[in-house]
Amino acid sequence: MSKIDTIIENTRNKLLSNLGKDIEKRELKWPKYVGFNLLNPNRITDAVKILKKLGYAQPLLITGIDRPKEGAIELVYKFNRLDSSVVAWIYTQVPRDNPKIPSITPLWRAAFPHELETYDLLGVIFDGIPDLRHVFLPWDWNLGFPLRKDWDPNLAKQYPWWEMTREYYDPFVIPEDESDDIYYVSIGPQHPAVHGSFRLILKLRGDTILEAWPDFGWVHRGIEKLAESKTFEQIIIYTDRLCYGSSITWNLTYALAAEDLLGIEVPERAQWFRVILAEMQRIVSHLLWLAALSGDLGTFHSMFLYPLREREKFLDLFEKACGARLTYSYIRIGGVGIFKHAEDIPATWFEELRETLKDFKKKMEEYLAMTEASETFHLRTRGIGVLKGKAAVEAGATGPVLRAAGIKYDVRKIDPYLVYDEIDFEIPVGKNGDVYDRWWVRINEMIQSVHILEQAIDAIPKQGPLRVKVPPAKLRGTGEGFGRTEDPRGEAIIYLVGDGKNTPYRIHIRTPTYINLSLLHFILRKAKLADIAAIIGSLDPCMAEVDR
Amino acid sequence: MNDPVVDIINFVAQFVHGILGWVFETFNIPSWLYYPTFVAVMAILFLLAFSLDLLFIIWMERKLLGRIHHRRSVTETGPFGFFQNIADAVKMLIKEDVYPAKADKFMHNIVPPLMAAIAIIPIVLIPFGPNIWFMRMTTSVVLFFAIATLVPGLVVLAGWASNSKFPTIGAFRAGLQLISYEIPLSLSLLGVILMARSLDFYTIIEAQRNLWFIILQPLGALIFFIVTIMELERSPFDIPEAEGEIIAGWRTEFSGIKFGLFYGTEYFKVFVSAAAFTALFLGGWYGPFLPSAIYFVLKMHIVIFMIIWVRVTFFRPRPDQLLRIAYTKLIPLSILNLLWVVIITPYILPYL
Amino acid sequence: MILTNDYLTLGVFSLIMIGAMILAIILWKLIASGGLFEIFSKRSVVPEPYKRASYECGEVPIGKTRFSFDIEYYVFPLIFIVFDVFTPFLFLWGITYSPYDIELNIFFMGLIIFLAIGMFIAILKDGKRLVTPDYQKPEYLELINKAAEGDEEALNEFLRIEPLTIIKKELTIKRTSSNPLSKYKLEIPEKKDNPIVALIKKILRKLLGWLFRWGLAKSPWIPHLGIKCCALEIPMAVGVSRFDMERWGIIPSASPRQADVMIVNGPVTIKWAPRLKALYDQMPEPKFVVALGECAILGGPFKGSYSVIDGVNKIIPVDFYLPGCPPRPEMFLELTMTYRKKIPTEVDERRRKIIEARNEVLQKLEKLLSE
């Protein structure tokens, strides 16, 4: 505790003394985080420089909230640390009719995707950003900014998606005076190597990639805008479909955020059960990743199908618990499960889980041996797509990508949620940050999840409610809710802002894959065309999560 | 020893002679056309017999892959799914002909049939039994591999003719891969030629009547096998058509029977290469109990089984890693093999 | 069976083989969709502007398609040429080989080894610079290591973002007709054939229609299309050993030019819509579309969002609908079995019905929107 206090004291002293009257303290409802109000938005770069010197690692999230009543757009910057759970929050406001603010991308590259998104959906213009364009909306969109409160939804119907001519949907300029051996390829939305729909525009010479631009927005469903008109209970089904490979984690993150906002306590049995579900989901998601990566590396037949076979066994268990194979909607506000069936987890389910885990361990060792013995696997994965050390932190990677780069950062250890501080597990860390290390880190995470599950099955209380009943009157909240978990792909955050109604005022979702895929600007630079599949596979993309 | 297969083939030949003789008499066709017509009829009969075997090979591959993955593959079309390939071929017959507007129309239409035909023509040089062959030359090995070398040029032409980016990239990679295999091929082939001291398939097989060459030069056989898989563009060397990277590579813009002919070409090449491997290393038709031609076909199918097995097992190297393997590992090994052959041949020669 | 060792045999054999293959192509061109005697007739006239565009994953191709290749591709072929010229002489050695003639053997072996050593020197010493991939060159490795330690310059160089030059065009909203959806009205063409051609078509259909219907039903190939969650279930989880869709002959084919049944497994957003239409155009006839999951049928849980189009049948004509969110793999297997039965006898008739139903829906929508 005292470490957090010293860090918070330090931060406050430094910032308040250096920026004087442009900044003031802000009381947050969480004692482990520190907040500030920045009164002059143009000093954001100075504030960020000081934070960087103090040891803050990455800009986690840059949220824009439209406040028409105050005539301003509020921007919330959050920065995290690698060695403790302190998150620094900086709140600024920019005037609504001239929303300009200096960009922090030249200082911290990890802010680039967040700033692009804020420009795309809210219209805030960042000065000094290398490339200001629409990300989720089509490139030639000029029908307003959807997340503003006074945006007319009928405008969207006027976008001429039915016009199938080139000018309307691909205004991309190629320089005329380039040499004859440079060519451009679009590894487009329909491609077996991109998992889901995303596009990479590549500039190539021969077989080597010179530049790569990832292009998102293909599955953009506007969840953040849709959620503003749905009640807190109804948003759970949207969180499922955020990342279909690991839906429980998003249910969990949202439930944590909503419980934070509404002030609901969850019974202990539900917390242990949530841990069990989350770790099972981690294994399922990593098995899917293993199948996809092996398919991309060439054994489209054998190593693609064997992990999926193991995954089916876990999906059977999920189906026995909640009835669905892919999008569960199982973790709800207040606990786990729908009321009529919440008491129905029999003891035999846990025994079956134990049996499945034993089988799984044996099979995993077999698959590991098979893959390690193959020399071509090492040829394809060692030294490819390297992102090491501090470069990974600067670029904004989280999750297994960051751990493979040599940095020990896991939200379950740094900022424990649920009952993770009572469970004993390790975090695998790699050395070189190449594709091999990311593979190795994820495989070991699966083995660690097995340990966690074994401990949790022993420790879960046998009796107790799985969900508390929350009366509808309590489902209204003011203030903020912050849910932060470790998704199989990285750090997942949901930030809720409520204003007393039973629908949220703003929901902002930080998906790890969006930042991880923006790393492709850097990693793909000197790679070969044949390596794209391996590199994208090692970053484990799940496109619905990127585009929200 | 009365070989039943030779008897059958002689019977068929007599039958055809009879019919043709009658036709030529009644219609007064000039007699210099008799011999070409006879060859043509036998070729068509061979094509029919060969198609049946091809059907079996493709079916076997799909079933084998399924069993290795712990599932049953095609089961619904015909008994045990045997007619699945016929259904595929029939479906391809009614698919529309779609190709890019800027593609080279003539090349697009002429390359698939030409490639399919060139892939199957070398079979004419391989003897299936002591008296079962189409033609016999003193230099049949050279002609065999010379015809097989025409295919890479057609592959690059197919990719280039499509005037689209993915086929072009695929065509370049295919061209690279397919010409790189030729050096280890020639060198390991040389080992066999040195030991048998002849360039004729027939003599090479006869030289193995006591001991197969795979036992005398295991390294050469291994290199030839790897190089065969490289030539066939099959996994693990299927970079030109790697689904994960460049969609279908040089085959992307072909639809309908043009694609069907490419699909078939792959299996024609498998057939022909397996026949070559059997003739060069596995002793051709020599074997204890069964009649000779059946033994040859059996050995060929065992080689095809091995090719399918290798497909499911290995990861796929990148094109430049593949070239590195071909040039820095296979060539030294084949030179080692040559040294080995030169050293042991004086001692083996009396026994051959 | 034996023939004289004449090149005539080879020539006749080659001619027969080439002739057989060309015959296959000619036959195909006659009876395929779009040919003279089409057995399965073309679908109705959906305007298909992207049918003959070259394939680039659904996009309009960027830049040129005839480009020259980098030198790294030519290093190995240059070495190959040296060996290629040398190889025929090796074969001559093979024939005249006598194991007891030691001088000749040493000469040839020495020549081969000399060439090999030369090749090694070429690749490993001078060609190494050309042959090492860029990411293994020492400058790049140094850059990565320095960036890993936190060196400012190295970080800036490594984490450089290039801007994408996009034309900032003014989007002119042209509403040419009263409602944009009317641009998509499908029409059935009234095409009159030559009476002889029509008679031959009728005969062929009666004689061979059953065969081609059988072929089309038993081998549906699907293009690799994975839009959202349903893609994990179908086609991925259905191809797993547990459900195994290959039993019915379903293979995922990478290029849409060789596929039959397009499975749309996710919501279609305004960014995806033109490309989906382009991909649909690039598939050859006869083709079918399956709308999988709620998002593709009517927009699913995202109906009403600004970026999702409510249902894929506003873009392409759909044949089969499979509800579920996501549908179970067993439901898809039942769909396969239904597909096999429902491939129509008369393709035109069924198309006509679908098109009429669709036009009705569009009319109702127009009325709603204009109110």
Side-chain angles (χ1 to χ4, degrees):
Chain A
M1 268 308 284
S2 60
K3 183 174 181 198
I4 296 183
D5 283 338
T6 34
I7 296 177
I8 294 181
E9 275 306 310
N10 224 0
T11 321
R12 281 207 184 116
N13 290 343
K14 270 277 165 62
L15 272 176
L16 289 172
S17 61
N18 281 10
L19 289 172
K21 55 179 171 51
D22 283 331
I23 197 168
E24 68 179 19
K25 202 166 85 162
R26 181 179 176 129
E27 282 299 327
L28 299 173
K29 71 185 209 196
W30 309 281
K32 51 184 173 164
Y33 302 152
V34 58
F36 299 96
N37 271 337
L38 191 66
L39 301 168
N40 180 2
N42 291 324
R43 305 272 335 250
I44 184 78
T45 36
D46 301 326
V48 162
K49 273 193 210 136
I50 298 172
L51 282 178
K52 215 170 163 186
K53 268 202 279 247
L54 282 173
Y56 283 81
Q58 291 169 342
L60 265 188
L61 196 51
I62 301 178
T63 314
I65 309 173
D66 189 26
R67 299 212 185 259
K69 288 203 203 104
E70 301 163 25
I73 298 182
E74 182 176 346
L75 289 171
V76 184
Y77 290 72
K78 308 175 194 68
F79 302 91
N80 71 342
R81 292 183 70 94
L82 291 180
D83 49 0
S84 88
S85 74
V86 175
V87 174
W89 298 53
I90 300 187
Y91 292 71
T92 42
Q93 292 199 341
V94 279
R96 208 153 172 271
D97 36 10
N98 184 21
K100 274 200 203 298
I101 189 172
S103 156
I104 62 174
T105 302
L107 294 174
W108 234 331
R109 214 62 87 246
F112 181 61
H114 295 123
E115 293 185 341
L116 270 186
E117 180 192 345
T118 318
Y119 165 69
D120 184 27
L121 294 173
L122 267 177
V124 178
I125 300 185
F126 293 88
D127 291 325
I129 196 172
D131 189 10
L132 196 67
R133 57 182 153 97
H134 280 289
V135 177
F136 297 133
L137 297 167
W139 280 349
D140 49 357
W141 178 271
N142 61 353
L143 295 166
F145 298 104
L147 274 183
R148 295 217 178 168
K149 296 290 177 186
D150 58 351
W151 184 70
D152 178 16
N154 286 324
L155 277 181
K157 294 197 176 62
Q158 295 179 350
Y159 184 75
W161 51 265
W162 56 87
E163 297 279 355
M164 306 297 183
T165 54
R166 175 163 176 150
E167 298 94 16
Y168 275 117
Y169 69 87
D170 204 4
F172 170 34
V173 158
I174 301 170
E176 286 290 332
D177 53 350
E178 273 178 340
S179 66
D180 196 28
D181 52 359
I182 294 185
Y183 63 102
Y184 291 79
V185 173
S186 150
I187 306 281
Q190 184 261 342
H191 195 280
V194 301
H195 311 250
S197 4
F198 105 96
R199 176 165 89 155
L200 262 182
I201 303 177
L202 297 173
K203 176 177 171 183
L204 295 145
R205 172 191 284 142
D207 218 13
T208 317
I209 301 178
L210 296 175
E211 291 290 340
W213 293 278
D215 181 21
F216 307 122
W218 300 87
V219 212
H220 178 63
R221 298 146 285 167
I223 288 187
E224 296 181 357
K225 180 83 182 175
L226 271 179
E228 286 173 12
S229 53
K230 308 265 189 275
T231 66
F232 286 103
E233 284 281 336
Q234 288 173 330
I235 299 179
I236 295 251
I237 63 157
Y238 287 130
T239 57
D240 259 340
R241 280 119 181 113
L242 268 178
C243 178
Y244 41 86
S246 62
S247 6
I248 285 271
T249 326
W250 286 105
N251 284 343
L252 178 62
T253 319
Y254 175 73
L256 288 176
E259 284 152 15
D260 198 14
L261 175 70
L262 304 171
I264 301 174
E265 281 286 324
V266 176
E268 197 183 337
R269 185 158 187 246
Q271 294 203 359
W272 281 98
F273 197 51
R274 278 180 176 183
V275 166
I276 291 181
L277 288 174
E279 293 305 317
M280 274 172 70
Q281 181 69 70
R282 192 179 309 267
I283 295 180
V284 163
S285 172
H286 282 332
L287 280 173
L288 184 65
W289 157 82
L290 184 62
L293 182 68
S294 309
D296 286 336
L297 284 179
T299 52
F300 189 71
H301 299 276
S302 43
M303 265 316 269
F304 178 75
L305 290 175
Y306 296 153
L308 288 179
R309 183 179 62 180
E310 304 308 316
R311 181 174 171 254
E312 291 285 327
K313 299 193 183 126
F314 283 99
L315 289 184
D316 273 345
L317 277 171
F318 267 117
E319 199 177 342
K320 285 194 180 122
C322 70
R325 279 165 57 97
L326 198 67
T327 49
Y328 312 111
S329 295
Y330 196 33
I331 295 186
R332 303 280 177 134
I333 301 182
V336 177
I338 313 173
F339 266 112
K340 289 207 192 65
H341 310 285
E343 265 39 88
D344 266 355
I345 306 290
T348 51
W349 190 86
F350 293 102
E351 291 312 313
E352 268 185 56
L353 182 58
R354 243 192 261 265
E355 286 293 319
T356 317
L357 286 176
K358 266 203 281 244
D359 281 337
F360 176 66
K361 256 207 263 207
K362 263 194 289 194
K363 286 274 163 63
M364 272 315 292
E365 280 161 22
E366 204 183 297
Y367 299 152
L368 272 190
M370 241 164 59
T371 322
E372 284 265 9
S374 154
E375 193 190 323
T376 327
F377 177 74
H378 289 274
L379 264 184
R380 283 305 288 271
T381 53
R382 292 233 187 230
I384 304 220
V386 177
L387 187 68
K388 230 171 24 168
K390 295 236 171 63
V393 178
E394 271 290 313
T398 48
V401 181
L402 189 59
R403 291 197 274 281
I407 315 269
K408 198 163 179 154
Y409 177 75
D410 188 332
V411 181
R412 295 175 288 175
K413 288 275 193 201
I414 298 246
D415 190 1
Y417 52 99
L418 297 180
V419 283
Y420 276 108
D421 37 6
E422 299 174 26
I423 306 181
D424 177 32
F425 64 101
E426 284 171 9
I427 305 176
V429 172
K431 269 194 296 276
N432 287 331
D434 51 11
V435 172
Y436 179 78
D437 272 344
R438 291 180 209 136
W439 173 85
W440 186 87
V441 161
R442 287 199 176 99
I443 300 274
N444 279 311
E445 273 185 20
M446 275 201 264
I447 299 177
Q448 291 298 320
S449 291
V450 172
H451 286 180
I452 298 179
L453 276 172
E454 285 168 358
Q455 292 175 42
I457 300 177
D458 290 331
I460 186 169
K462 302 279 184 280
Q463 311 287 344
L466 272 182
R467 190 176 179 189
V468 285
K469 239 180 168 31
V470 181
K474 206 157 188 271
L475 276 178
R476 291 160 185 275
T478 350
E480 300 160 324
F482 192 69
R484 186 183 183 199
T485 57
E486 177 80 15
D487 191 66
R489 290 168 177 80
E491 184 169 344
I493 296 182
I494 290 190
Y495 174 56
L496 275 173
V497 177
D499 63 344
K501 297 217 273 276
N502 63 349
T503 60
Y505 186 75
R506 169 87 166 105
I507 177 172
H508 194 202
I509 309 170
R510 181 221 198 250
T511 53
T513 318
Y514 179 42
I515 321 293
N516 283 349
L517 280 182
S518 298
L519 294 174
L520 285 174
H521 278 288
F522 321 124
I523 303 184
L524 279 184
R525 211 160 252 153
K526 302 264 189 193
K528 296 247 167 205
L529 182 62
D531 281 328
I532 294 181
I535 295 179
I536 298 180
S538 75
L539 293 178
D540 197 7
C542 178
M543 291 319 293
E545 171 174 272
V546 171
D547 296 333
R548 268 156 278 155
Chain B
M1 202 168 59
N2 241 355
D3 206 336
V5 182
V6 177
D7 287 341
I8 296 176
I9 296 186
N10 279 334
F11 173 73
V12 170
Q14 301 288 354
F15 185 67
V16 173
H17 273 301
I19 294 190
L20 276 185
W22 176 82
V23 165
F24 269 68
E25 268 180 44
T26 32
F27 293 109
N28 259 337
I29 307 177
S31 65
W32 57 267
L33 276 179
Y34 182 81
Y35 183 69
T37 327
F38 178 67
V39 173
V41 170
M42 295 308 270
I44 294 176
L45 288 176
F46 172 77
L47 193 60
L48 289 173
F50 167 69
S51 315
L52 274 177
D53 195 24
L54 197 71
L55 218 61
F56 175 72
I57 293 176
I58 307 182
W59 174 82
M60 177 171 90
E61 168 163 12
R62 285 171 85 153
K63 280 299 222 185
L64 260 180
L65 283 179
R67 284 295 172 172
I68 294 181
H69 301 149
H70 206 197
R71 61 185 171 106
R72 290 182 199 170
S73 196
V74 292
T75 52
E76 297 289 320
T77 324
F80 295 108
F82 199 71
F83 296 154
Q84 181 67 49
N85 301 304
I86 305 182
D88 283 340
V90 162
K91 177 203 72 159
M92 285 195 246
L93 265 179
I94 52 169
K95 294 293 272 183
E96 188 186 354
D97 185 15
V98 192
Y99 55 89
K102 290 194 278 186
D104 197 343
K105 193 163 169 193
F106 177 66
M107 288 299 168
H108 220 259
N109 285 324
I110 201 72
V111 164
L114 214 54
M115 203 194 295
I118 290 182
I120 192 62
I121 287 174
I123 200 78
V124 98
L125 294 162
I126 298 188
F128 278 76
N131 271 321
I132 309 173
W133 29 267
F134 268 101
M135 58 184 282
R136 178 178 171 171
M137 302 166 52
T138 43
T139 52
S140 47
V141 166
V142 174
L143 189 58
F144 186 93
F145 288 104
I147 299 179
T149 313
L150 286 173
V151 176
L154 286 174
V155 164
V156 176
L157 197 57
W160 188 257
S162 300
N163 200 4
S164 156
K165 235 167 277 169
F166 289 112
T168 316
I169 302 178
F172 271 98
R173 286 181 174 181
L176 268 186
Q177 177 181 326
L178 293 173
I179 62 171
S180 300
Y181 80 78
E182 301 199 17
I183 307 179
L185 179 72
S186 312
L187 290 177
S188 55
L189 199 56
L190 195 61
V192 171
I193 297 174
L194 287 178
M195 222 177 239
R197 295 202 300 158
S198 139
L199 283 174
D200 180 12
F201 273 114
Y202 199 87
T203 321
I204 293 178
I205 296 180
E206 289 213 318
Q208 297 178 57
R209 76 169 74 88
N210 293 326
L211 207 54
W212 296 352
F213 281 161
I214 194 172
I215 303 176
L216 290 172
Q217 324 176 26
L219 192 56
L222 182 65
I223 295 174
F224 192 83
F225 187 68
I226 296 176
V227 162
T228 307
I229 301 184
M230 251 201 239
E231 170 194 357
L232 297 172
E233 275 185 46
R234 288 178 69 90
S235 212
F237 302 125
D238 62 345
I239 291 144
E241 29 178 277
E243 270 190 4
E245 296 151 29
I246 42 178
I247 318 289
W250 52 272
R251 298 185 195 169
T252 318
E253 304 277 5
F254 293 90
S255 64
I257 279 284
K258 290 190 230 172
F259 179 73
L261 284 176
F262 282 142
Y263 192 62
T265 307
E266 188 180 333
Y267 291 99
F268 293 166
K269 287 203 282 193
V270 167
F271 190 86
V272 168
S273 305
F277 188 82
T278 318
L280 291 172
F281 288 99
L282 286 181
W285 59 74
Y286 283 109
F289 304 114
L290 302 163
S292 53
I294 298 186
Y295 219 56
F296 191 97
V297 172
L298 196 69
K299 287 187 209 174
M300 229 171 66
H301 282 84
I302 293 180
V303 173
I304 295 178
F305 171 75
M306 294 291 302
I307 293 178
I308 298 175
W309 195 3
V310 163
R311 174 183 182 183
V312 208
T313 318
F314 292 107
F315 288 94
R316 186 194 300 142
R318 245 182 18 219
D320 57 313
Q321 288 167 349
L322 176 68
L323 294 180
R324 218 174 297 265
I325 294 175
Y327 282 87
T328 56
K329 296 205 172 92
L330 283 183
I331 295 186
L333 282 178
S334 39
I335 293 179
L336 217 63
N337 179 46
L338 275 181
L339 270 172
W340 165 255
V341 166
V342 168
I343 291 175
I344 73 163
T345 312
Y347 306 104
I348 297 289
L349 211 48
Y351 300 104
L352 280 179
Chain C
M1 147 158 109
I2 294 1
L3 314 172
T4 59
N5 37 353
D6 226 354
Y7 276 103
L8 188 61
T9 317
L10 186 63
V12 173
F13 195 89
S14 323
L15 276 176
I16 293 287
M17 290 301 164
I18 297 181
M21 307 299 171
I22 293 189
L23 202 69
I25 293 247
I26 294 179
L27 179 71
W28 166 61
K29 287 223 177 211
L30 282 178
I31 63 173
S33 296
L36 196 53
F37 307 117
E38 36 189 20
I39 294 191
F40 263 71
S41 47
K42 256 182 148 51
R43 220 173 165 120
S44 56
V45 177
V46 184
E48 290 187 336
Y50 281 102
K51 202 178 196 70
R52 305 290 300 277
S54 61
Y55 170 73
E56 191 159 330
C57 302
E59 289 285 337
V60 175
I62 307 176
K64 49 190 193 276
T65 50
R66 302 277 195 230
F67 44 88
S68 56
F69 260 71
D70 193 38
I71 186 66
E72 62 177 336
Y73 267 74
Y74 296 121
V75 171
F76 288 112
L78 287 175
I79 297 174
F80 161 75
I81 290 181
V82 171
F83 270 89
D84 202 29
V85 169
F86 181 60
T87 305
F89 300 104
L90 287 179
F91 286 128
L92 289 177
W93 176 42
I95 320 180
T96 60
Y97 173 67
S98 158
Y100 307 105
D101 186 355
I102 303 190
E103 289 158 351
L104 192 67
N105 297 342
I106 293 181
F107 171 69
F108 268 101
M109 282 308 299
L111 199 58
I112 297 176
I113 295 180
F114 173 72
L115 271 177
I117 293 179
M119 177 191 81
F120 272 107
I121 295 180
I123 294 180
L124 295 175
K125 192 160 169 309
D126 295 318
K128 195 168 193 166
R129 188 179 47 87
L130 287 172
V131 155
T132 22
D134 270 347
Y135 65 87
Q136 277 177 351
K137 294 215 164 108
E139 309 99 50
Y140 190 65
L141 291 174
E142 214 185 289
L143 178 71
I144 293 184
N145 283 330
K146 278 217 247 171
E149 282 151 28
D151 183 26
E152 277 294 324
E153 267 182 44
L155 274 177
N156 277 334
E157 170 60 31
F158 184 62
L159 298 177
R160 184 177 38 101
I161 299 181
E162 281 281 323
L164 192 60
T165 37
I166 301 179
I167 311 172
K168 294 267 195 234
K169 228 174 102 98
E170 274 308 307
L171 188 68
T172 52
I173 300 166
K174 295 191 294 208
R175 297 193 95 167
T176 48
S177 57
S178 61
N179 187 310
L181 293 173
S182 65
K183 252 201 163 184
Y184 261 121
K185 242 199 189 117
L186 304 181
E187 273 150 19
I188 304 162
E190 297 293 328
K191 197 171 63 151
K192 285 287 178 209
D193 278 327
N194 199 348
I196 307 178
V197 170
L199 184 64
I200 299 184
K201 266 200 211 178
K202 206 163 137 192
I203 298 177
L204 278 180
R205 268 188 205 152
K206 271 236 156 35
L207 284 180
L208 294 177
W210 59 272
L211 178 66
F212 293 108
R213 208 180 322 125
W214 174 81
L216 193 57
K218 305 292 185 189
S219 97
W221 287 5
I222 56 182
H224 261 284
L225 190 64
I227 303 185
K228 215 167 72 83
C229 335
C230 287
L232 265 195
E233 289 282 281
I234 291 124
M236 204 158 165
V238 196
V240 172
S241 313
R242 191 177 179 188
F243 301 109
D244 197 16
M245 61 183 182
E246 197 176 342
R247 285 182 279 175
W248 286 272
I250 305 178
I251 306 180
S253 98
S255 158
R257 304 260 189 220
Q258 292 126 19
D260 301 311
V261 183
M262 176 185 245
I263 300 186
V264 183
N265 41 20
V268 186
T269 55
I270 48 182
K271 207 165 172 181
W272 236 127
R275 280 87 167 179
L276 195 68
K277 179 70 168 61
L279 277 175
Y280 175 75
D281 288 348
Q282 286 175 355
M283 282 167 57
E285 293 281 350
K287 55 192 170 187
F288 305 94
V289 176
V290 173
L292 199 86
E294 303 292 336
C295 294
I297 298 178
L298 273 181
F302 309 105
K303 191 177 166 74
S305 162
Y306 55 86
S307 160
V308 166
I309 297 176
D310 300 338
V312 79
N313 58 358
K314 295 198 174 44
I315 305 175
I316 51 184
V318 174
D319 287 287
F320 298 97
Y321 294 89
L322 193 63
C325 194
R328 284 193 60 104
E330 287 95 341
M331 291 167 69
F332 182 73
L333 297 179
E334 173 160 353
L335 175 72
T336 321
M337 294 192 265
T338 317
Y339 169 81
R340 286 152 79 96
K341 283 190 219 131
K342 285 204 170 173
I343 297 295
T345 53
E346 279 292 329
V347 179
D348 268 338
E349 190 50 47
R350 188 154 184 277
R351 299 286 181 270
R352 190 181 302 268
K353 288 200 191 128
I354 295 180
I355 288 162
E356 279 170 8
R358 193 175 168 279
N359 286 343
E360 248 184 70
V361 166
L362 282 181
Q363 266 173 3
K364 287 194 197 142
L365 268 175
E366 279 193 46
K367 253 200 252 167
L368 268 179
L369 280 175
S370 60
E371 276 165 12

